[in-house]
Every structure is written in C-alpha cells, then in structure tokens.
Amino acid sequence: LGMLSALAGLMKLLDLPGGGSGLFFLVILAGAAFGPRFGMVLGLTSFAISAILSGGIGPWLPFQMLALGWMGAGAGFVGLVTRRLPPLAEVGVLAASGWGWGFVFGAIMNLWFWPFLRGGDLDWEPGMGLGETLERYWSFYVATSLPWDAAGALANAAIILVVGVPLMGTLRRYAHRLEPVTILEPAGSDAPGNPEAPAVV
C-alpha cells in the first residue's frame, strides 16, 4: 500500500494532454486487484501524497481524496466481478470503468466550489428544489467541465488498455500471496498422544 501510494502520488505529476492524469489508472488497477478497502485507502493516501509533492494543498483536497478513494473502492468491486474473466476482457471492463470515472471525478470535484458561487444563471441558490438544482448543475458541468473531463476519461481508458494486462497480472499475483489461508482440522486431532495428529512443518 505504501509503495503504490508513493508511485501513484508521483504519477500525479505527469499531467497528460487534455486533463488526463497518470494517477488514476494505477488506483483503478490496484483497487481491482486488491479489493474495495485497499482501493479506498490507496485513493485517499495517493492524493494526499501528490498534494504534498505538488503543493496542491487547499480546500479542494478533501474532495480529491474522497473522489479518488471512491474510485479505488469502485474498481475493487468491479474487480470482484471481473477476476474470473480472461485478462483482455477484464482489462476492457476496467478501461470502461476508468472512462466513466473520468466524468464522475470531475463532477464530484466541482462540488467543492459550485454551491458557493453567486450571481450566475447556472449557480445554486438557497431554496431551490432537487430537480432545479440538478438541472442547473448539469448545465454548469456541461458548460465548464465536460470537454476537459472527456479528455481525461479517454486518457484513463487508453492507459489502462495499454498497460492493463501485464500490470494486472503482477498485481493479482501479489494480491493472491496476501490472501489469508485458513485450514480447518477435526476437533482433537492435535491432542497429545494422538497417532493421527498431523505433523507440524
């Protein structure tokens, strides 16, 4: 977890064209390999490390950490379903998940400031109903974030498709080694003097 958090934090410094980031693909693949809890913690710690390295500490950081944590946890749940698929099929599903999360991440990130904007036709106003709030936010998102997030979503999917198969193979091998193994034995089989007691290696 510490090694992957450090690597992901460093990859955040690799800004790709159009809003893509080298951070997201590793969180998605590691979350799928190690599970939802690991993915959640990896997302939280990765953005904390990247913020320290890049000086990006501010009121937006908790939203970034939570959004990436949810992304890692979501990938973990996807990995529980895709782990029995052929490698290419699994990577294809994870690439589609990364593409979708490119938009979801951007939509979550806008919420750290959008409710506090005032004076615009697309801003939130106290007393608005849920339907009007969603309509205004959707219009705001399309006008400001959609093109940027679309490029980031495409970058997520492309990177996962390129490196997904070999990297998932490596991550799954390590995840398999960390899985606890429980051996159940009949009661009394280890009693002193029992000739059928198993040998301890």
Side-chain angles (χ1 to χ4, degrees):
L1 176 61
M3 180 65 72
L4 288 173
S5 297
L7 288 173
L10 286 172
M11 289 185 182
K12 177 63 172 65
L13 302 178
L14 302 176
D15 290 329
L16 304 177
S21 174
L23 168 62
F24 298 144
F25 85 93
L26 185 56
V27 172
I28 291 172
L29 294 179
F34 289 94
R37 287 184 295 180
F38 187 97
M40 169 65 82
V41 178
L42 177 61
L44 293 171
T45 55
S46 297
F47 237 119
I49 292 173
S50 71
I52 295 172
L53 293 176
S54 63
I57 299 176
W60 53 83
L61 181 58
F63 284 82
Q64 291 176 321
M65 293 173 63
L66 286 173
L68 193 63
W70 293 334
M71 183 189 298
F77 286 112
V78 172
L80 295 177
V81 177
T82 61
R83 62 192 312 167
R84 300 186 184 280
L85 294 177
L88 286 177
E90 180 179 36
V91 168
V93 174
L94 293 175
S97 175
W99 180 84
W101 265 104
F103 298 97
V104 174
F105 183 87
I108 294 173
M109 281 306 305
N110 287 342
L111 295 177
W112 84 266
F113 67 91
W114 178 74
F116 309 106
L117 298 176
R118 293 293 182 270
D121 295 336
L122 304 180
D123 298 342
W124 179 79
E125 296 178 4
M128 285 197 317
L130 178 60
E132 187 177 1
T133 299
L134 294 175
E135 182 179 356
R136 283 202 182 188
Y137 181 70
W138 172 249
S139 300
F140 175 84
Y141 178 76
V142 171
T144 59
S145 301
L146 183 60
W148 183 266
D149 291 344
L154 183 60
N156 290 346
I159 296 174
I160 291 173
L161 288 174
V162 171
V163 305
V165 173
L167 190 53
M168 277 300 293
T170 301
L171 293 173
R172 285 246 187 249
R173 283 196 296 272
Y174 277 96
H176 180 69
R177 292 176 185 176
L178 295 177
E179 291 178 353
V181 177
T182 302
I183 300 176
L184 301 178
E185 298 178 348
S189 62
D190 56 350
N194 186 349
E196 297 181 358
V200 178
V201 179

